[in-house]
Amino acid sequence: MLGVSVSEDMKKLILDTCCGIAGSRTIVAACLCGPQVYGYADEKSHVNVLLVLSGYRPIVKTYHESINDRDVFVLAVDQDAFQKDVEKGRLGELAAEKLMLPYEPLINSDYLWRQEVGGKKRIVWEILESLVLEYPEMSHELIIEPEYFMCETLTQRARLFPATTYRLLNMFRSDLKQRNVEIMMRGYTQALNE
C-alpha cells in the first residue's frame, strides 16, 4: 500500500516557496523526490524538492521551510552546475541522484526527463567500461539484463553512503518494489536504446 503523498494544495504552496527562493531568477525545473514519491511516506515524513535555477549563486544551497506543519527541504541548484552533475558527476551526483530514483515533476517535466536519460546513459557507459576493464576477455560475450545497471548503481551508492540503505530497503519493500523498479527502468531503457 502506498504511503502518504503530497496533495495538490500542498504542491501549490511548495511552488510558491520555490518562486520565493528563485526571486528574479528563472526556474528551469522543479520536482518532488523522496519518501512521498517512493511510496513509503507517512504523515510526519518531510518533503524533498529539487529546484533547478538559471544563473543561481551560490551553485547549490538547501532551504528548510515549514508548510502546513510539514518540513519541506528544497535543494536549489544552478542549471549549469546541475547539468555538469548529470553529465560528469561534478557535484558528486548530489543533485543528479534525485533523477536516478523516482521523482514527480512539478515544473518542466521534459527537461527533467532529458536530464534523467542523459544521467542514466552516462551511468551505463561507466558500468560497461568498468566491466570491460575488469573482464576484458569475457566482455565480448556478456549478456546483461537492463535491470543490472539500476541495481549496480544503487549498490554502489549504498556502499558509498550507508545511510541510504534505509531509503533503498523501503523503496524495495514487497508492496513498492515493482512500481519503483518500473519507474526507474523507464529512463534506463531509454538510455540503453540510445
Side-chain angles (χ1 to χ4, degrees):
M1 181 172 167
L2 288 178
V4 176
S5 61
V6 178
S7 70
E8 291 303 315
D9 289 339
M10 183 70 164
K11 288 177 189 176
K12 288 176 186 167
L13 294 171
I14 290 170
L15 286 174
D16 289 344
T17 299
C18 289
C19 289
I21 292 169
S24 62
R25 296 173 203 88
T26 302
I27 296 177
V28 177
C31 66
L32 296 175
C33 41
Q36 284 77 16
V37 182
Y38 308 154
Y40 64 85
D42 60 25
E43 301 83 25
K44 297 176 185 176
S45 297
H46 60 273
V47 178
N48 295 309
V49 180
L50 171 65
L51 176 63
V52 182
L53 300 170
S54 178
Y56 181 65
R57 297 293 177 261
I59 293 173
V60 178
K61 186 173 180 181
T62 57
Y63 295 86
H64 174 238
E65 302 288 334
S66 182
I67 303 174
N68 289 349
D69 296 325
R70 300 276 301 270
D71 286 326
V72 177
F73 293 94
V74 179
L75 176 65
V77 61
D78 175 67
Q79 180 183 11
D80 292 335
F82 175 66
Q83 289 180 199
K84 287 177 182 165
D85 195 35
V86 168
E87 294 165 7
K88 299 180 181 178
R90 290 277 167 90
L91 299 174
E93 295 184 352
L94 172 71
E97 177 199 30
K98 308 300 184 217
L99 301 184
M100 302 306 117
L101 301 171
Y103 63 92
E104 182 181 337
L106 297 173
I107 297 174
N108 204 348
S109 60
D110 291 340
Y111 173 82
L112 293 168
W113 171 250
R114 286 192 309 274
Q115 297 307 308
E116 175 189 352
V117 172
K120 289 180 176 178
K121 194 189 286 188
R122 175 183 59 84
I123 287 169
V124 167
W125 273 112
E126 288 173 357
I127 291 172
L128 288 173
E129 286 174 344
S130 178
L131 286 171
V132 168
L133 290 172
E134 194 169 344
Y135 307 103
E137 293 84 22
M138 289 179 29
S139 65
H140 299 288
E141 299 185 31
L142 288 176
I143 297 174
I144 303 171
E145 292 290 327
E147 290 82 6
Y148 170 78
F149 298 102
M150 177 193 65
C151 293
E152 181 64 16
T153 302
L154 296 175
T155 301
Q156 288 175 3
R157 178 69 55 184
R159 276 190 214 123
L160 284 172
F161 306 104
T164 64
T165 304
Y166 174 79
R167 175 179 60 190
L168 297 175
L169 289 173
N170 278 309
M171 281 177 52
F172 290 106
R173 287 187 338 207
S174 61
D175 59 330
L176 299 174
K177 181 179 178 179
Q178 182 178 351
R179 171 191 170 273
N180 286 328
V181 167
E182 286 175 7
I183 291 169
M184 287 186 281
M185 283 308 298
R186 286 183 206 141
Y188 282 106
T189 300
Q190 183 65 34
L192 287 165
N193 288 340
E194 289 181 17

